[in-house]
Amino acid sequence: MNTSDIISAVRYKVGFVDFTDYQITESLNYVIREISLALNSITSSLITTSTTLTLTDNTAPLPTDLETIISVTDKVNIPITDELSAYTYQIVGNTIQAQGDTVTIYYKKTLPEYSFDGEIVAPTTIDLPNTFSNMIIDNIAALLGGQAINIQTMAIKLVANRDGKKRAQRLIFTM
């Protein structure tokens, strides 16, 4: 989905009221953050991904879109003070440390922030399926109009419909 199309659709939805591109971008960032929070609370292929990192001197930078690590192939996390073995890894700042040439990580990614400098400069597309576009546009328009919104519930319902199964947030502890 292209961000300039989102801005045009929002302008059309709100009746070309004088909202600046900056105001629309800020609302877009809020909506995307809320969607990201909702998707991080469930298991969804929309934000779960994997990558193979090349290690140099047993260290590689973590992906910039990493929210949380789900697993590291054939390795177990150990405290930073312990020595690495062929089956362990450590996260130190924005790097992963492990033995070997490569390491494959599975992680939940965060959705990006949209930067604005007279126009949206980065990124220029939204990393969500087109089925989310109406929800994004409607919620941006509602935010600009000062209305209350519940983006997280809508996002979870969209994922449930998309994946064809019921998804629910469950309590970790119950009495």
Side-chain angles (χ1 to χ4, degrees):
M1 169 180 356
N2 186 299
T3 51
S4 62
D5 292 340
I6 291 286
I7 289 176
S8 296
V10 168
R11 287 200 181 290
Y12 180 78
K13 179 111 180 143
V14 297
F16 295 95
V17 178
D18 287 332
F19 291 110
T20 66
D21 287 351
Y22 177 79
Q23 289 171 306
I24 295 172
T25 304
E26 286 300 300
S27 296
L28 170 63
N29 279 328
Y30 178 79
V31 168
I32 295 297
R33 275 192 303 273
E34 289 294 307
I35 292 171
S36 185
L37 285 171
L39 297 183
N40 267 308
S41 68
I42 61 175
T43 302
S44 170
S45 61
L46 292 175
I47 61 164
T48 302
T49 191
S50 67
T51 190
T52 300
L53 304 172
T54 302
L55 297 164
T56 304
D57 296 327
N58 294 337
T59 302
L62 292 168
T64 56
D65 64 348
L66 181 135
E67 179 75 27
T68 55
I69 287 187
I70 297 170
S71 68
V72 178
T73 304
D74 299 329
K75 297 191 183 290
V76 177
N77 192 16
I78 60 168
I80 293 174
T81 56
D82 291 351
E83 193 168 319
L84 291 172
S85 75
Y87 306 103
T88 60
Y89 76 94
Q90 299 173 344
I91 301 296
V92 180
N94 292 326
T95 64
I96 186 168
Q97 297 179 352
Q99 286 188 358
D101 297 326
T102 63
V103 64
T104 300
I105 65 170
Y106 297 86
Y107 66 98
K108 285 191 175 185
K109 61 182 179 175
T110 187
L111 297 173
E113 286 276 320
Y114 295 85
S115 59
F116 186 84
D117 185 17
E119 61 182 351
I120 293 182
V121 290
T124 57
T125 58
I126 296 175
D127 191 20
L128 286 170
N130 286 334
T131 54
F132 279 74
S133 59
N134 286 339
M135 183 189 72
I136 291 169
I137 293 163
D138 291 346
N139 279 285
I140 292 171
L143 270 175
L144 292 170
Q147 299 171 3
I149 55 178
N150 191 346
I151 307 161
Q152 291 188 22
T153 300
M154 291 178 196
I156 290 171
K157 285 180 182 176
L158 264 179
V159 170
N161 291 338
R162 178 184 178 274
D163 291 354
K165 39 185 146 164
K166 183 174 180 169
R167 296 196 180 270
Q169 294 178 344
R170 301 189 197 285
L171 294 173
I172 295 172
F173 301 104
T174 57
M175 298 294 271

